[in-house]
């Protein structure tokens, strides 16, 4: 049930654009074009702010139409909130007078659209000279500090988002990720493991402070990373994690991943409202026999001890109250509950959990959504009833989130061992077998897929860091803990569809090397990437040009089917995934090889027969054989 609360003050949402001007001219032109398109689809009443940064930070006065007027801040100086207030000319302590003064910097889109379009059109690459062998000086940290401070001064506890568009790493001022000399490479996984990343800890501490300020004030911070090299997402991930902001990672502002994702943020529902909520809080109320361990997902915990809180903390624990700067219909948190046997089991037939979600609608009114869930309580010996209520897909996603949360403070190998121990205990308890007889082992269908999910989770990019940069690891992990069950399962175990002459429709096939047949087309969906792969025979037919001949119309249609399905995925998903089309034996085929089960089987499989498939990973069969051996031990 959702209630519209009586208004105290109705204010439209606030959007502050923080733009990197150190990009090259071509990249900047693509960014400017996307920004102008975004302005045209924003609600007319939305308040807009505009800040640019290079070596220095510039906050623009949008109310000055005669020419461009902005306030400059040094990029290497850390400004405190009172200093920023004075420098921006925001006088007084009354919130209304501060808002009046801030109107120069935060104006309704309908009133400043022309001035802002002119400002964006006139943007040019940062004029500060870049010596040979050096990086451009980017004061990303200070730009975010100015933006967060402006929002905190003018619209604290009111819905808004700060949108950072970065084309490179912070190399100057507070929060710098890397030095300005190109000989000083940005940190790698090895540098982090060996504690050889001198900027890492200070940068993480700086951005965590920024993110906590924004989260406590009800504001979200979105990050759009568009660069071939790393830009410091590992250090800045808390900006998105703690505030519920969006995160988009790609290699250029020209890409569809950036351009289409930015447009989708400002999409509307049937009533014309933005598909997002602001300044939200979630509070849980539980039966006396249940306590909450914590939550894993976007946001921060509001530390309030009460009878609903367990002493054992998981994720954001120690509270039953969480704050999220921004939510939408895809935002998902996992709540971990603890059963407390405070009364005899005979008296507890059901338990209740209530979620109260309060948020600011894009129209300005606050809303309260109340969701009450009733759970049956099962006696400890009633295994059959427990099995019937088990959701293995959700359980796999919960365990994946928990594993990612543990990996932030523990070694990867220890997390993998924890997953293995948990899996062994589960199949030992719910499997059917005779001790010391592996061939008698059976697992009911309610649990049948769970070991398979854990097999793919163990070898996924969420836990394995080989050939994955620190920024990519941070991106993948951040996305996993905020997406819904369906999308999270795609990340853990990608979907593989087969297109062939044997069926007029795509057919799901095993995520196995044996599925890479010569006469089929495969579509791999990993959530982050959609890959279309052509088998060896399909490639030969394409080279012979059969698709251009009328008598081979079926072949032409077969080539079109996966492309059409891939485009439909791009239309529906946010962030927009990368679309890659490749052939058997080509470089991008490695993305498919890295995901499939290395069974080593497959007749009529050019990938296996060529001998170009090498891996140190064990196969699913070997994994299951070892799992069963441990499960049936006395």
């Amino acid at each position: 049930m959702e209630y519209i609360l009586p208004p105290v003050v109705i204010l439209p949402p606030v959007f502050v654009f923080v733009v990197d001007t150190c990009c090259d001219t071509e990249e900047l032109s693509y960014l400017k074009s996307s920004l102008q398109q975004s302005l045209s689809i924003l609600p007319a009443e939305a308040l807009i702010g505009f800040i640019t940064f290079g070596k220095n930070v510039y906050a623009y006065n949008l109310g000055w139409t005669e020419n461009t007027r902005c306030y400059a801040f040094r990029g290497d100086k850390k400004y405190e909130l009172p200093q920023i207030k004075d420098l921006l000319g925001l006088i007084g302590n009354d919130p209304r007078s501060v808002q009046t003064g801030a109107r120069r910097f935060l104006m309704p889109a309908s009133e400043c659209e022309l001035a802002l379009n002119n400002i964006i059109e006139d943007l040019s690459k940062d004029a500060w000279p870049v010596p040979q062998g050096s990086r451009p000086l980017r004061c990303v940290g200070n730009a975010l500090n100015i933006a967060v401070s402006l929002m905190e001064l003018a619209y604290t506890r009111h819905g808004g988002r700060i949108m950072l568009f970065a084309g490179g790493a912070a190399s100057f001022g507070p929060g710098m990720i890397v030095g300005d000399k190109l000989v000083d490479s940005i940190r790698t996984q090895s540098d982090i493991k060996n504690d050889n990343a001198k900027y890492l800890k200070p940068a993480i501490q700086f951005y965590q402070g920024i993110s906590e300020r924004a989260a406590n004030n009800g504001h979200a911070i979105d990050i759009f990373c568009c660069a071939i090299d790393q830009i410091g997402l590992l250090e800045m991930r808390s900006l998105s994690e703690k505030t519920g902001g969006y995160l988009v990672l790609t290699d250029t502002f020209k890409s569809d991943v950036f351009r289409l994702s930015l447009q989708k943020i400002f999409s509307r529902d049937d009533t014309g409202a933005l598909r997002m909520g602001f300044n939200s809080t979630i509070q849980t109320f539980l039966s006396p026999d249940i306590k909450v361990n914590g939550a894993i997902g976007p946001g921060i915990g509001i530390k309030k001890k009460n009878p609903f809180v367990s002493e054992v903390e998981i994720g954001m624990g120690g509270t039953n109250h969480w704050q999220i700067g921004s939510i939408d219909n895809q935002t998902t948190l996992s709540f971990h509950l603890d059963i407390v046997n405070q009364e005899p089991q005979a008296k507890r037939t059901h338990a209740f959990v209530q979620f109260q979600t309060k948020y600011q609608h894009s129209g300005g009114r606050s809303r309260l959504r109340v969701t009450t869930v009733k759970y049956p309580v099962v006696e400890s010996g009633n295994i059959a009833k427990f099995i019937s209520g088990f959701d293995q897909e959700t359980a796999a996603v919960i365990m994946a989130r928990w594993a990612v949360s543990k990996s932030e403070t523990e070694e990867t190998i220890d997390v993998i061992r924890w997953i293995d121990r948990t899996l062994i205990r589960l199949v030992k308890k719910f499997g059917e077998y005779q001790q010391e007889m592996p061939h008698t082992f059976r697992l009911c269908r309610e649990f049948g897929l769970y070991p398979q999910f854990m097999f793919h989770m163990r070898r996924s990019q969420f836990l394995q860091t080989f050939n994955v940069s620190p920024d990519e690891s941070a991106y993948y992990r951040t996305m996993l803990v905020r997406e819904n069950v369906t999308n999270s399962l795609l990340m853990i175990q990608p979907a593989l569809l087969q297109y062939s002459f044997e069926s007029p429709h795509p057919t799901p096939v095993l995520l196995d090397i044996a599925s890479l047949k010569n006469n089929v087309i495969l579509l791999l969906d990993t959530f982050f990437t959609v890959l279309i792969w052509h088998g060896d025979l399909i490639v030969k037919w394409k080279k012979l040009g059969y698709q251009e001949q009328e008598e081979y119309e079926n072949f032409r249609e077969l080539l079109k089917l996966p492309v059409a399905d891939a485009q439909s995925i791009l239309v529906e998903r946010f962030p927009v995934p990368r679309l890659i089309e490749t052939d058997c034996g080509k470089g991008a085929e490695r993305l498919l090889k890295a995901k499939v089960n290395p069974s080593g089987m497959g007749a009529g499989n050019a990938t296996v027969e060529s001998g170009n498939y090498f891996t140190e990973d064990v196969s699913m069969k070997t994994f299951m054989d070892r799992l069963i051996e441990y499960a049936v031990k006395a």
Side-chain angles (χ1 to χ4, degrees):
M1 186 70 71
E2 185 163 291
Y3 307 90
I4 299 177
L5 303 180
V8 179
V9 177
I10 298 180
L11 290 171
V14 185
F15 298 90
V16 178
F17 295 87
V18 183
V19 178
D20 180 2
T21 58
C22 289
C23 312
D24 62 48
T25 305
E26 184 181 8
E27 280 290 288
L28 190 58
S29 67
Y30 289 120
L31 175 56
K32 287 160 59 175
S33 176
S34 295
L35 291 175
Q36 288 174 323
Q37 290 177 18
S38 300
L39 289 177
S40 65
I41 59 178
L42 274 171
E45 68 279 6
L47 301 179
I48 311 296
F50 196 74
I51 294 173
T52 63
F53 65 90
K55 185 177 184 293
N56 299 306
V57 183
Y58 303 94
Y60 284 81
N61 182 341
L62 303 180
W64 193 265
T65 57
E66 296 179 9
N67 51 39
T68 301
R69 174 178 285 190
C70 58
Y71 290 67
F73 298 83
R74 284 179 54 179
D76 59 347
K77 181 179 179 181
K78 186 175 181 180
Y79 293 90
E80 301 297 334
L81 188 64
Q83 290 178 282
I84 296 173
K85 182 179 178 182
D86 291 340
L87 292 170
L88 292 177
L90 306 179
I91 303 170
N93 296 319
D94 181 25
R96 287 174 295 183
S97 65
V98 173
Q99 283 183 10
T100 302
R103 187 177 172 82
R104 294 168 293 168
F105 307 100
L106 302 169
M107 294 188 65
S110 59
E111 298 180 21
C112 69
E113 184 175 4
L114 179 60
L116 189 48
N117 270 310
N118 289 335
I119 290 172
I120 294 174
E121 191 64 39
D122 293 338
L123 279 183
S124 59
K125 186 177 178 182
D126 186 49
W128 198 264
V130 180
Q132 188 174 0
S134 298
R135 294 183 176 88
L137 298 178
R138 286 183 172 90
C139 57
V140 180
N142 236 351
L144 286 170
N145 182 37
I146 302 299
V148 169
S149 299
L150 177 60
M151 292 283 283
E152 183 176 350
L153 289 166
Y155 292 99
T156 183
R157 308 298 306 165
H158 173 71
R161 27 185 4 116
I162 296 164
M163 309 181 75
L164 171 66
F165 302 89
S171 56
F172 191 61
M176 62 188 296
I177 309 297
V178 65
D180 63 326
K181 302 300 181 185
L182 289 175
V183 293
D184 301 326
S185 60
I186 196 166
R187 76 282 176 277
T188 62
Q189 299 282 12
S190 177
D191 292 333
I192 296 171
K193 185 176 181 180
N194 298 325
D195 198 20
N196 193 30
K198 69 175 183 178
Y199 299 108
L200 180 68
K201 292 179 180 178
I204 289 177
Q205 185 178 6
F206 174 81
Y207 290 113
Q208 283 183 343
I210 292 285
S211 61
E212 288 171 4
R213 284 174 57 195
N216 288 326
N217 288 310
H219 303 144
I221 301 178
D222 306 320
I223 307 176
F224 296 86
C225 308
C226 299
I228 295 176
D229 198 2
Q230 300 182 78
I231 75 159
L233 192 56
L234 173 65
E235 291 83 351
M236 296 192 292
R237 65 184 291 188
S238 61
L239 298 172
S240 174
E241 277 186 343
K242 292 181 180 294
T243 67
Y246 297 121
L247 193 57
V248 176
L249 179 66
T250 184
D251 53 4
T252 172
F253 287 114
K254 181 183 179 181
S255 70
D256 287 342
V257 175
F258 166 71
R259 185 174 56 83
L260 297 179
S261 296
L262 182 59
Q263 291 178 11
K264 286 186 178 183
I265 288 178
F266 301 112
S267 62
R268 313 286 189 95
D269 60 20
D270 295 336
T271 65
L274 293 173
R275 298 178 185 271
M276 62 178 77
F278 304 88
N279 189 23
S280 63
T281 60
I282 299 178
Q283 198 166 0
T284 58
F285 298 92
L286 308 105
S287 298
D289 47 340
I290 298 180
K291 291 189 176 183
V292 61
N293 299 108
I296 297 178
I300 59 170
I302 302 174
K303 295 291 184 179
K304 289 184 179 179
K305 280 289 184 180
N306 56 59
F308 302 114
V309 178
S310 171
E311 295 296 326
V312 180
E313 295 187 11
I314 298 176
M316 298 180 288
T319 184
N320 72 322
H321 198 179
W322 298 270
Q323 169 91 36
I324 313 174
S326 175
I327 59 173
D328 58 28
N329 57 2
Q330 295 295 320
T331 304
T332 310
L333 287 86
S334 62
F335 297 91
H336 299 252
L337 307 178
D338 196 5
I339 298 176
V340 182
N341 295 317
Q342 294 180 342
E343 54 187 76
Q345 289 186 358
K347 294 183 180 180
R348 297 188 295 114
T349 58
H350 291 87
F352 298 88
V353 180
Q354 185 177 92
F355 301 93
Q356 294 188 5
T357 306
K358 183 180 179 182
Y359 69 96
Q360 178 189 323
H361 188 263
S362 63
R365 297 282 292 272
S366 292
R367 299 191 178 191
L368 177 65
R369 177 175 297 183
V370 180
T371 307
T372 304
V373 184
K374 179 182 178 180
Y375 295 102
V377 176
V378 180
E379 301 83 1
S380 58
N382 194 343
I383 299 295
K385 193 172 181 181
F386 182 90
I387 289 175
S388 66
F390 184 75
D391 185 335
Q392 56 189 331
E393 288 85 2
T394 302
V397 173
I398 293 290
M399 284 297 293
R401 287 183 177 223
W402 198 353
V404 166
S405 178
K406 291 172 72 70
S407 68
E408 302 302 322
T409 56
E410 300 179 23
E411 292 291 334
T412 300
I413 187 62
D414 294 331
V415 177
I416 292 176
R417 287 170 179 163
W418 171 77
I419 291 176
D420 291 343
R421 289 194 301 269
T422 306
L423 180 59
I424 291 169
R425 287 199 300 269
L426 183 136
V427 298
K428 194 177 185 71
K429 184 174 182 66
F430 296 103
E432 298 177 4
Y433 56 89
Q434 297 179 25
Q435 287 188 358
E436 304 295 345
M437 299 180 67
H439 67 279
T440 64
F441 183 87
R442 297 290 184 273
L443 201 58
C444 61
R445 63 180 180 83
E446 288 84 358
F447 290 86
L449 296 176
Y450 185 81
Q452 179 179 310
F453 293 141
M454 292 299 101
F455 167 76
H456 288 287
M457 179 63 194
R458 294 172 84 259
R459 62 197 296 262
S460 70
Q461 69 271 34
F462 303 111
L463 296 179
Q464 304 294 342
T465 58
F466 176 75
N467 205 30
V468 180
S469 72
D471 276 15
E472 289 174 320
S473 289
Y475 176 66
Y476 295 140
R477 291 173 177 178
T478 301
M479 295 302 297
L480 178 67
V481 299
R482 66 169 294 150
E483 286 295 332
N484 59 31
V485 171
T486 302
N487 290 339
S488 297
L489 280 177
L490 274 179
M491 300 180 198
I492 297 168
Q493 180 178 318
L496 190 63
L497 297 177
Q498 173 183 291
Y499 300 80
S500 68
F501 293 116
E502 298 174 1
S503 173
H505 305 291
T507 306
V509 292
L510 293 174
L511 189 65
D512 193 286
I513 189 65
S515 297
L516 276 69
K517 299 176 182 177
N518 296 339
N519 61 342
V520 302
I521 301 174
L522 297 178
L523 187 147
L524 177 74
D525 184 3
T526 71
F527 181 81
F528 303 105
T529 303
V530 176
L531 183 139
I532 299 172
W533 177 86
H534 299 110
D536 187 55
L537 194 56
I538 301 292
V539 174
K540 291 177 180 177
W541 289 344
K542 281 171 56 184
K543 288 181 178 179
L544 292 173
Y546 286 173
Q547 69 277 13
E548 299 171 1
Q549 302 177 25
E550 291 185 7
E551 59 267 32
Y552 294 102
E553 183 180 354
N554 288 345
F555 180 56
R556 181 165 60 251
E557 293 302 317
L558 180 66
L559 293 176
K560 290 180 180 179
L561 275 175
V563 176
D565 289 347
Q567 289 297 333
S568 66
I569 293 173
L570 266 62
V571 169
E572 296 172 359
R573 185 168 300 161
F574 178 88
V576 175
R578 285 190 305 159
L579 176 59
I580 301 173
E581 194 166 350
T582 189
D583 297 332
C584 176
K586 293 292 181 67
E589 185 187 43
R590 72 188 187 281
L591 301 175
L592 177 58
K593 289 180 178 178
K595 295 296 182 183
V596 296
N597 170 37
S599 64
M601 306 293 184
N605 188 317
T607 302
V608 175
E609 292 171 355
S610 66
N612 293 329
Y613 181 64
F614 305 98
T615 180
E616 294 181 354
D617 288 346
V618 299
S619 67
M620 178 71 179
K621 183 180 184 306
T622 304
F623 175 79
M624 287 301 299
D625 288 346
R626 297 294 180 270
L627 174 63
I628 293 171
E629 285 179 12
Y630 280 105
V632 301
K633 281 184 178 180

